[in-house]
Amino acid sequence: MAALGSELRTGSTGSPRAATGANRPPQRRSQPKGPARRRPEARVGGSAWQDWGQQRPTGSAPVAFLHPMAPSDPAASAAAPPTPGPANPVALPARILVVGGGGRENALGWALARCPGVEAVWIAPGNGGTAGLPGCEVLAIAESNGEALAAACRERAIDLVVVGPESPLAAGLADRLRSEGFAVFGPGADGAQLEASKQWAKALMMEAGIPTAGYWSASSRQEALELLERLNRPLVVKADGLAAGKGVTVAASVEETRAAIEEVFDGRFGAAGASLVLEEPLSGPEVSVFALTDGRTMVLLPPAQDHKRIGEGDTGPNTGGMGAYAPAPLLDAADLEAVRRNVLEPTLTALHSRGIDYRGVIYAGLMLTANGPQVIEFNCRFGDPECETLMPLLGPELAAVLLACAQGNLAAAPALTIAPGCSACVIAAAAGYPGEVRRGDTIHGAVEPSDTLQLFHAGSRREANGHCVTAGGRVLAMVAQADDFDAAFEGAYAALQRVSFAGITYRRDIGHQVRRRPSIPPT
Ligand code: AMP
């Protein structure tokens, strides 16, 4: 008999019924009321900031997205240092270790190195572009090597560790470093289950009353196939564990659902596929929301939208993300408040009630359905490329805010300012991505990071002769900021013309939802 979620729900189909067996339809839950209920229309052009600005200070002053207890300082400038006062003591981390080797970690390192008071940022293991980032140094230690990372923290008197990827978090790196007294931004292995186990996350969502698709758990092939036979409709198949973003199949037919179940139990995802979740399909645009939290209170970042598919027009296989933009106008500030109320705060409460002191990012992947936003996934870290897109918008308080999260005193941190304007990110991938890719091609060209243009390396490696070569599927993230999305994307695409490697490939329609001038540059 299949193990069922304690209560099954769906935001898309079904009528209110107690679900005690796989043959019963998921129970419908009441949908959140208020602005988040409506299905947002994608707006085009540079309207995002105007929406965000309506309830914020006018003019070019940056917006502060405040946690409930933080004092607001509307006059604060994104260029000004944090302003601690006697009632607002703020610790500033001077020496920071960022763990991870992708574009996300380079963006984090770059943004943290810009913060006043930060003297040095090490990125372990980093990549070919890390050494070129102002204020950042490579530390050649694998993200999985907790012992060596702890030793490096001791040797370098690290004030703050920021763990980028999910794998070391799920493996307990944050716990390990905390046990030695280091301040770590990133949840322990208990909290990382939000991402590392779909079953665990779904059960938590049920407990907390968070809007999400109805689901069934199965821990064997037979169990899953029996469920499918009874339900007899196409379902979303999700390997339970970490599968590098590849463990989900949105099946269009019962046959495809069956094939996806077989694939999971045939071992395609290794240990991550020892069990699975079957989910009701939802539909609607997707948006990512990030909460920085100290386990009790939180700061929300502007919502971001990424493009998962490899092909223009959002076609073809899923990838790690081919580009992104922020703030995504799909959610305005009132919508985001509703997401905080209906999703993020109940999540934090549910984590707390399980004895989990979650200090890091909660990334809610939302689908904006006709019945309101529904959570399709939680991640325990920043998204990539959303992180590259968001970091340039964040103010100089970032380091203090992340340290405050790590220390459990976010309420005392300065308000995090968000620069006005739009940020656009385009990923340049190696030929063949997301399949087998060629490696070792020299990357030509460079972009000095500035306030409005950044080139973050992802899948790259620096050779002994100093040349940077390709070393992964997603190779570079070009990010630009401007007053509107048209100008931001034009900036990113123009800068992409200045870099090259054999087989470089990128989508020319990133941000098509928000661009009025989707000029297509030559590839
Ligand atoms: P996940 O790893 O859970 O985020 O899933 C990867 C992608 O699969 C998401 O970005 C969605 O596009 C899609 N997806 C996940 N769950 C569902 C669902 N219940 N209904 C429709 N699409 C889904």
Side-chain angles (χ1 to χ4, degrees):
M1 182 66 197
L4 290 164
S6 54
E7 181 190 5
L8 296 175
R9 301 181 186 125
T10 177
S12 55
T13 58
S15 53
R17 272 206 235 168
T20 55
N23 50 346
R24 305 229 179 126
Q27 184 179 337
R28 188 182 193 107
R29 69 178 304 283
S30 59
Q31 296 303 320
K33 299 202 165 44
R37 273 190 67 102
R38 80 188 154 73
R39 182 176 195 148
E41 302 286 317
R43 290 180 287 257
V44 297
S47 61
W49 171 243
Q50 289 145 27
D51 286 340
W52 286 85
Q54 276 166 6
Q55 53 173 339
R56 308 290 178 188
T58 52
S60 60
V63 167
F65 292 91
L66 296 170
H67 51 81
M69 297 174 68
S72 169
D73 180 10
S77 156
T83 50
N88 187 19
V90 172
L92 293 172
R95 303 160 71 79
I96 300 176
L97 171 65
V98 176
V99 177
R104 169 182 50 211
E105 287 75 27
N106 274 356
L108 280 164
W110 170 79
L112 288 166
R114 298 204 306 164
C115 296
V118 174
E119 290 164 10
V121 176
W122 288 272
I123 305 185
N127 59 43
T130 302
L133 295 170
C136 297
E137 276 181 52
V138 171
L139 195 56
I141 301 175
E143 64 192 35
S144 56
N145 192 344
E147 181 115 7
L149 289 169
C153 287
R154 287 192 297 269
E155 280 157 23
R156 288 168 175 74
I158 292 293
D159 300 310
L160 170 67
V161 182
V162 179
V163 183
E166 63 278 16
S167 294
L169 291 168
L173 177 63
D175 304 297
R176 162 88 210 257
L177 297 176
R178 276 192 193 108
S179 74
E180 297 203 24
F182 295 107
V184 183
F185 181 82
D190 52 4
Q193 290 177 95
L194 259 193
E195 175 167 2
S197 170
K198 302 270 188 204
Q199 292 183 356
W200 193 90
K202 292 296 281 192
L204 180 133
M205 285 188 246
M206 293 298 159
E207 176 190 312
I210 290 164
T212 188
Y215 81 106
W216 295 261
S217 296
S219 50
S220 73
R221 185 191 307 255
Q222 191 189 346
E223 213 175 10
L225 292 174
E226 276 174 18
L227 263 169
L228 178 62
E229 201 170 311
R230 282 186 223 147
L231 295 164
N232 196 30
R233 57 181 186 268
L235 296 164
V236 181
V237 180
K238 299 186 171 184
D240 182 60
L242 295 178
K246 297 185 177 122
V248 175
T249 302
V250 183
S253 65
V254 171
E255 206 32 64
E256 256 183 67
T257 312
R258 185 172 297 113
I261 291 171
E262 299 280 7
E263 192 176 45
V264 170
F265 289 112
D266 281 346
R268 172 159 180 225
F269 309 109
S275 58
L276 57 69
V277 160
L278 297 177
E279 221 175 74
E280 293 285 9
L282 301 175
S283 65
E286 294 178 43
V287 65
S288 307
V289 174
F290 300 90
L292 313 182
T293 180
D294 67 349
R296 288 171 292 174
T297 186
M298 63 180 71
V299 179
L300 300 192
L301 303 186
Q305 195 167 27
D306 76 339
H307 293 266
K308 289 244 187 299
R309 303 298 193 94
I310 186 73
E312 287 171 9
D314 293 315
T315 54
N318 265 334
T319 70
M322 294 301 291
Y325 58 91
L330 283 166
L331 293 180
D332 63 18
D335 297 330
L336 195 64
E337 254 336 283
V339 170
R340 177 207 289 268
R341 256 192 336 271
N342 297 323
V343 172
L344 293 162
E345 287 179 350
T347 302
L348 214 48
T349 304
L351 288 166
H352 204 253
S353 74
R354 291 176 180 217
I356 296 173
D357 187 10
Y358 192 107
R359 300 181 183 189
V361 188
I362 300 178
Y363 161 168
L366 303 174
M367 194 166 266
L368 305 181
T369 73
N371 291 318
Q374 309 258 333
V375 176
I376 50 171
E377 65 167 338
F378 276 129
N379 293 313
C380 62
R381 38 79 196 176
F382 287 106
D384 187 339
E386 293 98 322
C387 186
E388 292 94 309
T389 315
L390 285 167
M391 284 300 138
L393 295 177
L394 304 188
E397 310 83 2
L398 180 67
V401 167
L402 298 195
L403 180 63
C405 287
Q407 293 178 328
N409 63 351
L410 183 53
L416 179 62
T417 52
I418 312 286
C422 300
S423 188
C425 170
V426 181
I427 296 289
Y433 183 72
E436 258 317 293
V437 295
R438 209 170 78 165
R439 290 157 206 262
D441 292 310
T442 303
I443 300 169
H444 301 281
V447 170
E448 262 301 295
S450 74
D451 281 348
T452 55
L453 183 67
Q454 306 82 34
L455 173 61
F456 298 121
H457 283 231
S460 83
R461 167 168 62 78
R462 194 171 287 270
E463 301 214 297
N465 62 10
H467 290 162
C468 250
V469 298
T470 61
R474 291 187 298 164
V475 178
L476 304 170
M478 190 67 81
V479 193
Q481 297 78 43
D483 289 342
D484 61 45
F485 282 116
D486 284 320
F489 276 104
E490 281 160 9
Y493 278 114
L496 264 178
Q497 308 301 305
R498 290 156 42 196
V499 294
S500 66
F501 53 86
I504 186 170
T505 166
Y506 52 85
R507 278 181 57 170
R508 295 163 300 168
D509 67 341
I510 300 297
H512 59 81
Q513 304 94 323
V514 290
R515 287 158 68 191
R516 286 199 192 92
R517 299 191 299 266
S519 56
I520 300 183
T523 45

